[in-house]
Amino acid sequence: MERSKTVSAYFKTQPKWIEELRTLRTIANKTTLVETVKWGIPTYTVDNKNVVGLAAFKEYVGLWFFNGSFLKDTEKKLINAQEGKTKGMRQWRFKSVKEMDEQLIIAYLNEAIENQKAGKVIKIARNKPLIIPDELKNSLKKDTELKTKFEEFTKSKQREFTDYISDAKREATKLSRLEKIIPMIKSNIGLNDKYRNC
C-alpha cells in the first residue's frame, strides 16, 4: 500500500476509526505542536523533532509518544508495546471517542512538548558493536560484490541490516529476510531509506 502523503489521505485508509482519528487530531492541533506526515502517519513535532504520532490499528487508535518514558503518567494511561526492546516510546490506546478526555490528553501533550524543549530524549547507544549474523556472514564470504557494497554503508545502516536478520526467531524467516536485503545492498539501498524522506 502506498504511504499516505497527507493526514486526510491517511484517515481515508482507516474508515473504521475516522471519528477517533479526527478527534485526536483536533486535540493535538489545539497545542503548539506542528502537524506533518512521517512514515505515512500523522506526526506532531516541536522544532522538527518528533513528539507524538497518531495511528490506527485493528483493535484501537493510539497516540505514540516518541519519548514517552519521560512523561509522569500520573493517570497510568501509557504502555510500552515492546517491553525490553522499546526504550523511550510509549502508547496511549483508545477504542472509542468516549475514552478520550480532551483536557487530560492536552496535559500529556503539553508535558511531552516541554520535555522535548528541555532536551529530554532517549540517547541511542552508538558504540554498540556490529554483530553480523551467520546467515549474512556466510553470504558476504561467498559474494565479493555483496561484501564490498555492504562495507560502503555507514555503520548505522549496516546495523539495520544485521538487526533485521538477527531479530527473526525462525531460521526460515532469517533466510527470507536475507534474500530480501541482498538485492537492496547490491543496489546501495538502505533497509529504511524509503521512510527517511517521508
Side-chain angles (χ1 to χ4, degrees), residues 41-161:
I41 65 165
T43 305
Y44 298 84
T45 66
V46 169
D47 298 327
N48 294 317
K49 303 287 185 187
N50 301 330
V51 174
V52 67
L54 170 59
F57 290 85
K58 189 176 179 182
E59 302 296 329
Y60 61 89
V61 172
L63 287 172
W64 267 247
F65 291 89
F66 287 88
N67 288 289
S69 60
F70 292 106
L71 293 169
K72 295 184 188 89
D73 192 22
T74 52
E75 301 299 316
K76 305 294 179 222
K77 298 294 186 182
L78 306 179
I79 63 165
N80 184 338
Q82 293 182 298
E83 284 291 347
K85 191 169 182 183
T86 304
K87 302 241 186 301
M89 191 173 283
R90 296 291 181 272
Q91 301 175 8
W92 186 349
R93 296 176 177 179
F94 306 91
K95 293 188 177 176
S96 76
V97 171
K98 291 175 187 171
E99 295 179 6
M100 297 174 184
D101 178 334
E102 180 174 320
Q103 293 310 311
L104 187 59
I105 293 169
I106 286 177
Y108 273 65
L109 291 172
N110 284 335
E111 185 186 348
I113 290 166
E114 292 310 309
N115 286 346
Q116 180 62 53
K117 288 180 177 176
K120 290 184 180 179
V121 295
I122 293 292
K123 302 282 192 258
I124 297 166
R126 299 289 180 195
N127 297 327
K128 187 171 96 173
L130 182 70
I131 299 167
I132 300 175
D134 291 339
E135 295 81 4
L136 179 56
K137 199 181 285 181
N138 293 336
S139 295
L140 294 173
K141 278 181 190 171
K142 291 178 196 169
D143 189 332
T144 53
E145 180 198 355
L146 182 67
K147 185 175 188 293
T148 301
K149 291 286 189 180
F150 182 76
E151 289 172 352
E152 288 174 3
F153 283 103
T154 62
K155 276 281 184 273
S156 62
K157 288 192 176 186
Q158 288 178 4
R159 187 170 285 111
E160 287 173 1
F161 285 122

Side-chain angles (χ1 to χ4, degrees), residues 20-34:
E20 287 77 10
L21 288 167
R22 283 182 177 152
T23 300
L24 287 173
R25 181 191 195 191
T26 299
I27 293 170
N29 283 328
K30 288 182 178 180
T31 70
T32 57
L33 290 165
V34 176

